[in-house]
Amino acid sequence: MHLLILAILVPFLAAALIPFIHRRLGPVDIGWLVLVIPFVLFVIFAMQIPVISAGDTVTATLNWIPSLGINFTIYLDGLSLILALLITGMGTLVILYSIYYLSPADSLPHFYAYLLLFMGAMLGVVLSDNLLVLYVFWELTSISSFLLIAFWFHRKNSRYGAQKSLLITVFGGFGMLAGFLMLHTMTGTFSVREIVSTIGQYSDHALFYPAMFLVLLGAFTKSAQFPFHIWLPDAMEAPTPVSAYLHSATMVKAGIYLVARFTPIFGGTSAWFWTVTLVGLITLFWGSFCAVRQTDLKALLAYSTVSQLGLIMSLFGMGSAAIHFGDGNEGALYGLASFAALFHLVNHSTFKGALFMVVGIVDHQVGTRDIRRLGGLMAFLPITFTFAVIGSFSMAGLPLFNGFLSKEMFFTASLNAVSLPIFSADTWGWIIPVVAWTASALTFVYCMIIVFKTFFGKHKPEKLDKRPAEPSIGMLIPPAILSLLIVGLFFFPNLLGDHLLRPALNGVLPGITGAAPHITAWHGFNTELWMTIGIVVAGSLLFIFLRHWKKIYALLPEDWTFNVFYNKLLESVEDNSSLLTNRYMTGYLPHYFAYIFSFFILVAGGTLFLTGAFSFDFSTDAAIPSYELILTIVMAVAAVGILFAKSRLTSVLLNGVLGYSIAIFFVLFRAPDLALTQLVIETVTTALFLLCFYFLPEWKPENSPRNVKIRNAMIAVAGGATVTLIALSVRSGKLFESISGYYEDSYELAGGKNIVNAILGDFRGFDTMLESLVLFIAGLGVYTLIRIKGGKETRKNED
Amino acid sequence: MKINDVILKTVSQAGVLIILTFGVYLFLSGHNQPGGGFIGGLVLATAFVLMFLTFDSDTVNKAIPFDFKKISAIGVLLAFSSSTVPMFFGQPFMSQSFGYFNLPIFGKTELATVTIFETGVALTVIGVVVNIITSISEDE
């Protein structure tokens, strides 16, 4: 098996093993063992850099369901490699950080198992070539993120945030799945590479635009784009290492990865260009605007992440125009935006990861993240302060830090977009640099808030829970490494640019050469530099007079936010569904049967009637032997007898008569397997009845009004008639060739003479496997419902 | 509730043995004759249920110290992992294979990987059935 396939599977295997290892480990923190996994994976991926930067790609396939074209195919190109390196590299740092961050009271095996699950899922997303496999991993990231956000599940806010992120991201994921299926309908393949190479002929297809918007829906919800951004701030209820990892560096980038990956498919159309660019720009502006008003440092970082994700998204939108122009000077000019997006993607992971870790340290060492209570921490946390300055100034786009370089390229790209002679950008394009500049000024403001409100000003010890001091060295190493990267990338950006970004750009914009520039820190006194200087001046003024203009936030209508909309929607869905459910869930079994059978009669009988499938044909029937006739009469008598039984025991026995008669029928029709199963099931059921007998309530004869009885009788007769009609029609109306001939070869194909078992274990083994899973879950459900009737919870949950 | 159940106890001691043997036979014969994982598991489960019915659960738990929840979990895991293993040998998911081997005592014998899968199914069935019945019966 290929090394890279193993790389995806290893985190999953490790996650499954953690509970067993943890118990044997004793006092040793399991985090140290877990740390090895992302580190080794990082080294493995790093070893692929020479291959990828030489322009090659790596593919490997593991058969999954080859008959449906669904295979576990991985495809490593520059784009996947960058994200894989981020996932494993950040993963290493975050795990090192969490070893010191988490307290022993937290359930460490759960934490690391979820984290590894997430890491494997994320690697699967960025490496899968097959759309459906990608989708499976995509939803796995949603689920593992749900588990991580709800890690402190005894807190009400954690549960709320986890539910919100799951609802929104899975909603988008379903849309994306529909888009994938449309792509498959169009192109007949699930392979991204094959779709890229053939999509040109399908741009007029009716499904082209629906597929595009559905895929974008998935990307936007995952990457917290406006208006789906509302889940990200609530996801901050997760432990800080999780926030640093999932909600800034990796998972939220899955949507951006998707947009980048699908740019060769949908890019070059004006719908893609404007949707991605505008949604990105709105998110950029709205995120930075909301970030300024936050008083919780983590919430501020959450909104800043939203805003930065919007920035990257809008850059990919602008860059997609290059596909329209094709290879050449103009294509290269617009392709620069995509290069800037990739560059900023990396930079954002470094500085936002560092900042989250800084905030985690402050929270850990001081006991609060509330800006109103913080201040003057520089004297107590000088090292942390340094990291905070490096991270914030990089995010603000100041020189000496890598954020400056990508920010300048962002301005260049937005100025280029204005001169765009396509997609009517020459009339509306001025929006792009204006929004870019405004949002960057706001970004500057909140970056300054992080640094100055936390570390400067007056120290207020009376408002803090603890006496601040530097944390242990282990918590400082990860942000230190990231800070070094931030500075290092400023001085040697082309190391990254030539070896990683250039091949990655080739994955986003295949065939566009010359779009990857030589990155230089000094580019003369051009518009971009003046824009930056303007940001510093305006941003400083805004920061100084923050108290005066912050009042405008109060002007925003409180009940018109998307959060309120989300809550209202959820509430009304809950209310209405419980209203509806209470109407028909009466807790009265006869009602349920009436619904089920009426529905059945309507659907099955109606279909039979409408399609005219009903037909009688007795000509080929075999004669009915007398013993079969007797058996049938016995069954009919038993069935009718149940209705008039005067005691429960009689009805149980009559029920048994029915069951055993069916078993005899199976014997007569030479189906020993079914007969055996039926007999054993009948026996077990009778045993269950015996067990429950004493606990059942008093037997009461049914005393329903006459009209109810008549209604029930009608439903019963109609139900029986429908089944009979279907049974009679089935044998005369044959639409397809019978499949049973295939199974006759069971001895050749599966080595078993027993066809029933060959079907169960070989031909349709997937059903059997899932059935046993269902059985298992049902068993667990019964066990928990009966054994643990609440009250035994070890941790008190907030309501 | 005390009832005189000497006959029941004596008969079921013999009965359990017969049922267990029959269950194992059914399980093994499944490939070529009636039987198989599901039905074999069900029959084995009835043997355990019979024991729980005639003796009190403490005695049975002492005699067969298994956690039936874990048994069903192991069963599901076995069924699932035996389906994934073929993928590591370049075969599609869930492929099964079989072959004929010359074993010392049995002579020429057919061995099929589907048996592992069936074992998983059987264990799941046993675990779930016994688990459900004991949880219901122990409820106050």
Side-chain angles (χ1 to χ4, degrees):
Chain A
M1 191 163 37
H2 199 277
L3 189 67
L4 293 179
I5 294 181
L6 214 58
I8 298 177
L9 296 180
V10 159
F12 290 108
L13 290 176
L17 288 178
I18 278 185
F20 302 101
I21 299 172
H22 178 72
R23 230 172 281 163
R24 289 181 178 53
L25 223 54
V28 186
D29 195 319
I30 190 153
W32 292 109
L33 274 182
V34 175
L35 183 64
V36 177
I37 296 165
F39 182 71
V40 170
L41 292 181
F42 180 77
V43 172
I44 290 175
F45 282 114
M47 286 187 325
Q48 309 290 331
I49 294 177
V51 183
I52 300 297
S53 67
D56 290 332
T57 54
V58 184
T59 48
T61 299
L62 206 60
N63 284 335
W64 187 18
I65 317 174
S67 47
L68 294 178
I70 301 171
N71 286 317
F72 193 78
T73 307
I74 63 157
Y75 175 61
L76 184 80
D77 66 348
L79 183 60
S80 317
L81 184 64
I82 280 196
L83 279 139
L85 286 173
L86 280 180
I87 293 159
T88 48
M90 276 301 289
T92 315
L93 298 179
V94 162
I95 288 175
L96 178 64
Y97 181 80
S98 25
I99 292 172
Y100 292 91
Y101 182 83
L102 293 171
S103 80
D106 295 320
S107 174
L108 297 180
H110 283 111
F111 180 80
Y112 289 116
Y114 298 158
L115 210 61
L116 284 172
L117 192 68
F118 169 76
M119 191 183 296
M122 200 61 211
L123 284 175
V125 167
V126 298
L127 290 176
S128 300
D129 178 57
N130 194 287
L131 287 179
L132 282 192
V133 178
L134 191 151
Y135 172 74
V136 170
F137 283 121
W138 180 276
E139 294 297 33
L140 259 179
T141 63
S142 293
I143 291 167
S144 50
S145 137
F146 169 81
L147 292 169
L148 282 166
I149 298 170
F151 182 63
W152 288 317
F153 57 84
H154 50 100
R155 296 184 187 167
K156 188 189 173 192
N157 285 343
S158 300
R159 298 200 299 270
Y160 174 77
Q163 188 199 31
K164 198 179 198 177
S165 78
L166 189 75
L167 284 178
I168 293 180
T169 51
V170 169
F171 159 74
F174 280 149
M176 188 182 85
L177 176 64
F180 285 175
L181 294 178
M182 288 178 183
L183 274 174
H184 181 255
T185 315
M186 276 190 278
T187 59
T189 172
F190 281 119
S191 161
V192 177
R193 276 172 302 153
E194 283 175 34
I195 293 176
V196 169
S197 61
T198 57
I199 192 70
Q201 33 186 319
Y202 299 105
S203 51
D204 295 331
H205 199 285
L207 288 177
F208 185 79
Y209 284 103
M212 174 198 291
F213 287 115
L214 286 168
V215 169
L216 278 180
L217 185 69
F220 288 166
T221 49
K222 196 74 159 186
S223 279
Q225 297 295 302
F226 188 88
F228 307 110
H229 65 282
I230 52 169
W231 68 264
L232 194 75
D234 284 301
M236 290 299 134
E237 293 297 330
T240 303
V242 173
S243 311
Y245 190 35
L246 273 68
H247 307 129
S248 78
T250 53
M251 183 179 90
V252 285
K253 301 249 164 82
I256 286 171
Y257 164 79
L258 197 75
V259 166
R261 184 52 88 210
F262 277 71
T263 299
I265 298 175
F266 296 121
T269 58
S270 81
W272 179 268
F273 174 84
W274 279 114
T275 316
V276 178
T277 309
L278 283 184
V279 168
L281 281 176
I282 294 170
T283 314
L284 166 67
F285 173 76
W286 188 247
S288 60
F289 182 66
C290 287
V292 176
R293 73 186 295 197
Q294 302 303 318
T295 50
D296 179 2
L297 276 179
K298 245 176 115 175
L300 190 156
L301 286 183
Y303 276 106
S304 95
T305 303
V306 170
S307 139
Q308 301 281 319
L309 291 171
L311 193 162
I312 302 172
M313 195 63 95
S314 68
L315 277 172
F316 273 123
M318 294 176 218
S320 72
I323 300 215
H324 177 85
F325 289 104
D327 199 10
N329 275 341
E330 279 184 313
L333 193 64
Y334 299 113
L336 175 77
S338 295
F339 184 82
L342 291 166
F343 191 26
H344 199 70
L345 185 95
V346 177
N347 292 344
H348 175 250
S349 294
T350 56
F351 61 68
K352 192 54 68 66
L355 281 176
F356 264 112
M357 288 172 179
V358 163
V359 169
I361 291 174
V362 169
D363 190 15
H364 197 261
Q365 299 303 109
V366 177
T368 182
R369 303 187 305 248
D370 195 327
I371 294 169
R372 289 163 299 189
R373 292 164 67 186
L374 294 169
L377 288 181
M378 186 169 66
F380 301 95
L381 302 162
I383 306 173
T384 314
F385 165 71
T386 316
F387 301 150
V389 167
I390 295 174
S392 306
F393 283 16
S394 174
M395 182 153 71
L398 297 180
L400 294 185
F401 307 107
N402 58 359
F404 172 74
L405 301 175
S406 44
K407 178 91 69 177
E408 296 293 286
M409 289 173 83
F410 171 50
F411 289 149
T412 314
S414 64
L415 291 171
N416 283 349
V418 182
S419 56
L420 208 60
I422 55 155
F423 308 148
S424 57
D426 39 353
T427 46
W428 289 99
W430 55 268
I431 296 176
I432 299 173
V434 168
V435 175
W437 187 85
T438 322
S440 299
L442 287 167
T443 306
F444 184 84
V445 175
Y446 68 69
C447 290
M448 294 308 116
I449 291 179
I450 298 172
V451 175
F452 287 95
K453 298 260 169 173
T454 317
F455 293 97
F456 287 87
K458 230 178 75 191
H459 179 50
K460 303 161 223 169
E462 72 283 355
K463 288 188 177 172
L464 303 178
D465 303 344
K466 300 182 198 164
R467 211 193 110 75
E470 283 291 357
S472 53
I473 185 90
M475 259 174 115
L476 290 172
I477 291 175
I481 294 173
L482 289 172
S483 301
L484 274 178
L485 267 174
I486 292 170
V487 181
L489 280 178
F490 176 78
F491 289 105
F492 307 102
N494 290 305
L495 225 54
L496 179 78
D498 292 343
H499 290 104
L500 277 172
L501 300 180
R502 196 183 298 269
L505 188 66
N506 199 33
V508 185
L509 305 171
I512 312 279
T513 52
H518 185 79
I519 311 167
T520 47
W522 176 251
H523 40 69
F525 281 104
N526 49 11
T527 324
E528 291 89 313
L529 194 67
W530 288 116
M531 281 168 90
T532 308
I533 293 169
I535 283 170
V536 175
V537 174
S540 305
L541 287 174
L542 280 174
F543 176 68
I544 293 165
F545 298 109
L546 185 62
R547 245 180 313 144
H548 302 285
W549 65 272
K550 219 179 174 182
K551 293 185 191 95
I552 62 157
Y553 286 104
L555 296 178
L556 293 174
E558 288 254 332
D559 46 354
W560 269 94
T561 61
F562 286 97
N563 260 321
V564 175
F565 174 71
Y566 167 84
N567 289 335
K568 283 257 169 65
L569 187 74
L570 208 63
E571 223 170 85
S572 76
V573 164
E574 255 172 43
D575 287 350
N576 287 324
S577 59
S578 70
L579 212 72
L580 187 70
T581 312
N582 286 340
R583 277 197 78 80
Y584 66 87
M585 282 282 174
T586 51
Y588 186 53
L589 204 57
H591 283 171
Y592 299 161
F593 277 124
Y595 300 139
I596 293 169
F597 284 116
S598 312
F599 183 75
F600 169 74
I601 295 161
L602 225 69
V603 173
T607 314
L608 204 65
F609 193 73
L610 285 177
T611 54
F614 176 70
S615 63
F616 273 127
D617 183 17
F618 290 121
S619 56
T620 57
D621 284 7
I624 303 170
S626 54
Y627 52 86
E628 281 176 12
L629 201 66
I630 294 169
L631 208 55
T632 317
I633 292 168
V634 168
M635 283 174 71
V637 170
V640 175
I642 293 176
L643 294 178
F644 299 98
K646 285 276 179 286
S647 81
R648 181 171 279 132
L649 196 63
T650 323
S651 61
V652 170
L653 285 178
L654 285 173
N655 209 26
V657 170
L658 266 182
Y660 285 115
S661 308
I662 293 172
I664 297 174
F665 258 118
F666 285 143
V667 174
L668 291 178
F669 291 141
R670 274 168 266 153
D673 277 278
L674 291 176
L676 258 173
T677 316
Q678 177 72 22
L679 279 174
V680 180
I681 290 278
E682 214 46 54
T683 315
V684 173
T685 330
T686 315
L688 271 174
F689 262 125
L690 286 171
L691 280 171
C692 301
F693 219 75
Y694 290 103
F695 304 106
L696 293 174
E698 196 79 353
W699 174 272
K700 271 183 266 162
E702 200 195 341
N703 275 328
S704 35
R706 197 177 179 75
N707 57 343
V708 174
K709 275 191 175 170
I710 293 172
R711 193 195 65 199
N712 286 350
M714 275 165 60
I715 293 175
V717 170
T722 313
V723 174
T724 316
L725 288 179
I726 291 174
L728 288 175
S729 321
V730 159
R731 40 184 318 288
S732 31
K734 221 176 219 173
L735 291 177
F736 304 101
E737 196 60 36
S738 168
I739 197 174
S740 48
Y742 176 76
Y743 296 125
E744 279 168 18
D745 293 336
S746 72
Y747 190 65
E748 249 84 90
L749 294 168
K753 289 186 189 117
N754 180 355
I755 296 183
V756 177
N757 249 15
I759 291 174
L760 286 177
D762 292 285
F763 300 128
R764 302 197 60 87
F766 194 60
D767 291 2
T768 315
M769 192 190 84
L770 291 185
E771 272 160 18
S772 45
L773 195 67
V774 168
L775 193 67
F776 174 62
I777 293 169
L780 276 189
V782 170
Y783 177 80
T784 35
L785 282 177
I786 289 180
R787 288 283 178 90
I788 309 166
K789 280 184 178 161
K792 267 190 180 173
E793 284 151 285
T794 45
R795 283 168 115 169
K796 198 87 185 122
N797 285 350
E798 291 170 30
D799 290 317
Chain B
M1 180 177 49
K2 280 272 172 197
I3 42 167
N4 192 358
D5 51 1
V6 180
I7 299 176
L8 181 64
K9 281 189 176 172
T10 321
V11 171
S12 54
Q13 273 172 351
V16 163
L17 195 71
I18 298 171
I19 300 176
L20 283 178
T21 321
F22 182 57
V24 173
Y25 164 75
L26 273 183
F27 171 72
L28 289 178
S29 71
H31 209 48
N32 294 323
Q33 265 132 32
F38 185 77
I39 182 70
L42 258 183
V43 170
L44 290 173
T46 54
F48 293 119
V49 171
L50 184 61
M51 282 160 84
F52 276 108
L53 276 179
T54 43
F55 304 94
D56 58 306
S57 51
D58 288 339
T59 321
V60 182
N61 283 336
K62 232 175 270 169
I64 29 172
F66 303 131
D67 183 351
F68 283 96
K69 287 189 297 301
K70 275 190 190 152
I71 288 192
S72 50
I74 291 169
V76 170
L77 211 62
L78 203 62
F80 180 73
S81 51
S82 78
S83 326
T84 11
V85 165
M87 288 177 71
F88 296 88
F89 294 98
Q91 300 276 326
F93 180 66
M94 287 231 56
S95 355
Q96 309 280 6
S97 57
F98 62 95
Y100 296 90
F101 302 92
N102 269 316
L103 295 183
I105 299 168
F106 301 97
K108 188 185 171 197
T109 315
E110 184 196 2
L111 294 178
T113 52
V114 76
T115 312
I116 304 169
F117 179 72
E118 295 272 357
T119 313
V121 175
L123 287 179
T124 317
V125 171
I126 296 174
V128 169
V129 169
V130 176
N131 191 19
I132 289 181
I133 287 184
T134 50
S135 355
I136 289 177
S137 64
E138 279 172 22
D139 185 39
E140 296 304 314

